[in-house]
Amino acid sequence: MKQAVVIIHGMGEQIPMETLQGFVETVWVRDDSLIDEARPDSATGGPRYENTVWSKPDRRNRSFELRRMTTEAIDSQHGSTDFFEFYWAHLMYGTTWEQLKAWVIDLLWRSPARVPPRIRGAWIVLWIISVIGALCMIAAFVPFATLRSCLFNNCVAEASNQTSFWWLVVVPVLVGVFGAIVASLVNIFLLKYFGDVARYVKADPLNVARRQEIREKGVQLLETLMGREADGKPGKRQYDRIVVVAHSLGSIVAYDILSHCFARLNTASDLDEKTLRGLQQPERTKLESMIRSVADTPAKEDRTPKDPLDTTTNFTVDAFQEQQARCLKELNEQGSPWIVSDFITLGSPLSHAEFLLAANLADLRKAQERRILPTCPPMMEHDGKTKLRHFTFRYKDDATASDPLTYRVPHHAALFAYTRWTNLHSPHSAILWGDIISGPLASQFGATINDRQVNGIRDLQVLPERDKLGQVVAGQRVPFFSHTQYWSFGSLPDRPTPHHIRVLRQALRLKDR
């Protein structure tokens, strides 16, 4: 079977297929580790200089602007890969200054203590720009001749006769030009880019319809790729794995789409009830045990009751993600249609979730505890029958299912028990160097259980490359605004593959099947 990669673009007036084509060029066409170089080119039959990809029409995206990009098979054990773009920019239209202004005021009108330290500098700069803009608007309505006379001549009579050419002509013209520049900035940059953020993250009545349409179409695409019909019933499935890659604001869109899609499919299985009741889930049980080994506050020997399967003493992201893969395989073997193996975020503003999606960190934690916002690993709850914490519940509320190995169903926010989350981010300095929009996600979306933080997200620093101690590698430097460079080769396309491209390719695991 084949695998599907879905790329979700970020904010702004994106061009259909532009993001997808650049991404495929980087992760497939120019990756000489995927195909044996001795193998003839699949398109020409001659020597191979790059990997072949074809653009084909596809009905699954339900748009004539979008096409599927399909590859050749890697080898006899690995089928081809289909790349899709979930394009949503056309659904975010009609943003007004009032909508943007309401969002900006929400961000500004809060205590500095509620602003994360990493972006407090940018928050102060935003305040300064807003104040300067307000003063310029006020100044536009003030007669400069009178103002000059009142400042320097104590408002003497006939002040206008005492003014110079500077105050009568030059200053008003400069203020007018500055006002025009600010207006252009608002219209071209703020409305077209940050207007998308304002409308998507803020659940105002005027934004709800747009958010709903974007999420609904995203869920529809994923369910179609999983082989589900429009009525939710099983259909023909072509893929055994889906990878979702999201950039910038698209990572918030993707997070919502994945959350809602899993909540619709978490209890789905193609097997009958009698068969399910007789199944066991050793891999799921091991993953829950792994999470409990970190989250449980008392020492293992002091726990009551003891967890008979808790043999994990060293929790690492590597071990967690390996177990996630085994859990997903077990889930699929037991009839589940969920095949999203990986979620990869690039330059994600989810790093500032407590600032963008919640009132503060406590508010974010409450939403996660109530399973409104899924965490990685999933939140756990106590089962009175097994006397243990689980991210699953008893199938059909089977009161006899006291054995932890018994078949259980994941709760609606447990998608990251089965889907690995890798986050690429670029640390920033002086606001504009690096990527201030991005950042690590462990502190925001790791699970807080028993007042302990359990992290299953792989956070990787790129742009520039760093050593094991977190220091910038010699000869590397923090690039200017690296937010759009996560799959870019830069100005020297023929140089050795850059570190951030190698990391991205490793995260995709196109041979990991």
Side-chain angles (χ1 to χ4, degrees), residues 404-512:
L405 283 168
T406 302
Y407 179 80
R408 298 173 66 93
V409 179
H411 65 62
H412 72 272
L415 71 152
F416 293 115
Y418 311 97
T419 300
R420 298 172 292 204
W421 191 343
T422 303
N423 175 55
L424 275 62
H425 64 99
S426 176
H428 74 278
S429 62
I431 299 179
L432 295 180
W433 276 262
D435 184 9
I436 194 172
I437 296 174
S438 74
L441 297 181
S443 62
Q444 299 289 302
F445 287 93
T448 302
I449 307 172
N450 281 356
D451 295 324
R452 289 195 174 186
Q453 185 82 6
V454 187
N455 171 44
I457 302 172
R458 187 186 299 278
D459 282 316
L460 300 171
Q461 289 187 353
V462 295
L463 295 164
E465 182 178 358
R466 296 171 182 265
D467 58 25
K468 294 181 179 179
L469 299 177
Q471 302 298 317
V472 176
V473 173
Q476 300 281 327
R477 60 183 178 83
V478 179
F480 178 79
F481 196 62
S482 58
H483 183 64
T484 59
Q485 300 178 31
Y486 287 96
W487 60 86
S488 170
F489 275 83
S491 58
L492 300 173
D494 296 327
R495 67 181 180 178
T497 305
H499 170 255
H500 66 283
I501 300 297
R502 297 198 305 270
V503 172
L504 174 58
R505 289 172 176 173
Q506 290 167 4
L508 278 170
R509 310 171 196 250
L510 293 182
K511 281 188 172 182
D512 185 16

Side-chain angles (χ1 to χ4, degrees), residues 198 252 267 487 493 498:
I252 301 182
T267 61
W487 60 86

Side-chain angles (χ1 to χ4, degrees), residues 91-369:
L91 301 174
M92 192 63 75
Y93 56 84
T95 303
T96 65
W97 164 244
E98 290 299 322
Q99 290 169 321
L100 177 63
K101 182 179 69 174
W103 178 67
V104 171
I105 291 174
D106 281 349
L107 296 184
L108 292 177
W109 207 252
R110 61 177 66 194
S111 167
R114 292 169 52 201
V115 180
R118 288 189 299 111
I119 59 171
R120 195 166 292 158
W123 180 76
I124 293 173
V125 170
L126 183 60
W127 254 112
I128 294 172
I129 293 174
S130 300
V131 170
I132 292 175
L135 291 176
C136 289
M137 291 179 61
I138 295 173
F141 296 96
V142 175
F144 284 96
T146 303
L147 176 64
R148 186 261 186 189
S149 297
C150 288
L151 288 175
F152 302 108
N153 297 307
N154 297 321
C155 294
V156 297
E158 300 181 359
S160 61
N161 294 328
Q162 302 178 28
T163 58
S164 63
F165 176 77
W166 173 265
W167 285 92
L168 280 174
V169 179
V170 176
V171 173
V173 170
L174 290 176
V175 171
V177 170
F178 182 78
I181 293 173
V182 171
S184 299
L185 175 67
V186 170
N187 183 56
I188 296 175
F189 185 74
L190 293 182
L191 281 179
K192 291 183 179 180
Y193 287 87
F194 286 95
D196 288 351
V197 183
R199 293 195 68 188
Y200 190 83
V201 303
K202 189 173 176 61
D204 277 349
L206 293 177
N207 301 337
V208 169
R210 301 275 66 78
R211 287 155 50 105
Q212 171 65 21
E213 190 170 6
I214 291 171
R215 293 167 178 174
E216 189 173 6
K217 289 187 178 299
V219 169
Q220 185 180 56
L221 173 60
L222 282 185
E223 289 186 340
T224 301
L225 295 178
M226 292 180 198
R228 311 304 282 187
E229 301 290 350
D231 57 4
K233 295 181 179 180
K236 183 180 179 181
R237 198 177 82 186
Q238 297 183 4
Y239 304 101
D240 59 4
R241 177 181 183 234
I242 297 174
V243 179
V244 175
V245 184
H247 175 241
S248 188
L249 177 59
S251 64
I252 301 182
V253 174
Y255 175 81
D256 288 343
I257 290 171
L258 288 169
S259 302
H260 291 294
C261 187
F262 186 82
R264 288 162 56 122
L265 299 174
N266 65 307
T267 61
S269 176
D270 297 338
L271 303 182
D272 60 82
E273 181 177 335
K274 182 179 179 181
T275 302
L276 290 175
R277 285 187 181 275
L279 295 175
Q280 290 192 325
Q281 298 173 319
E283 302 301 342
R284 182 270 304 165
T285 308
K286 290 177 183 177
L287 186 66
E288 290 180 328
S289 176
M290 182 181 289
I291 300 169
R292 285 193 294 265
S293 70
V294 181
D296 286 350
T297 303
K300 289 204 304 180
E301 58 270 21
D302 295 333
R303 294 177 191 167
T304 302
K306 290 185 178 180
D307 183 349
L309 298 165
D310 192 354
T311 58
T312 304
T313 57
N314 296 317
F315 181 98
T316 65
V317 173
D318 285 342
F320 177 73
Q321 290 198 338
E322 289 172 5
Q323 190 59 34
Q324 282 178 297
R326 288 190 283 267
C327 280
L328 179 61
K329 181 180 179 181
E330 179 181 77
L331 190 75
N332 295 154
E333 289 172 348
Q334 296 178 353
S336 172
W338 185 259
I339 55 173
V340 181
S341 66
D342 290 272
F343 178 38
I344 302 172
T345 49
L346 313 173
S348 175
L350 284 170
S351 175
H352 313 299
E354 63 180 282
F355 186 66
L356 295 175
L357 305 183
N360 48 44
L361 183 58
D363 187 46
L364 178 67
R365 292 287 179 256
K366 183 180 293 185
Q368 291 171 342
E369 290 170 4

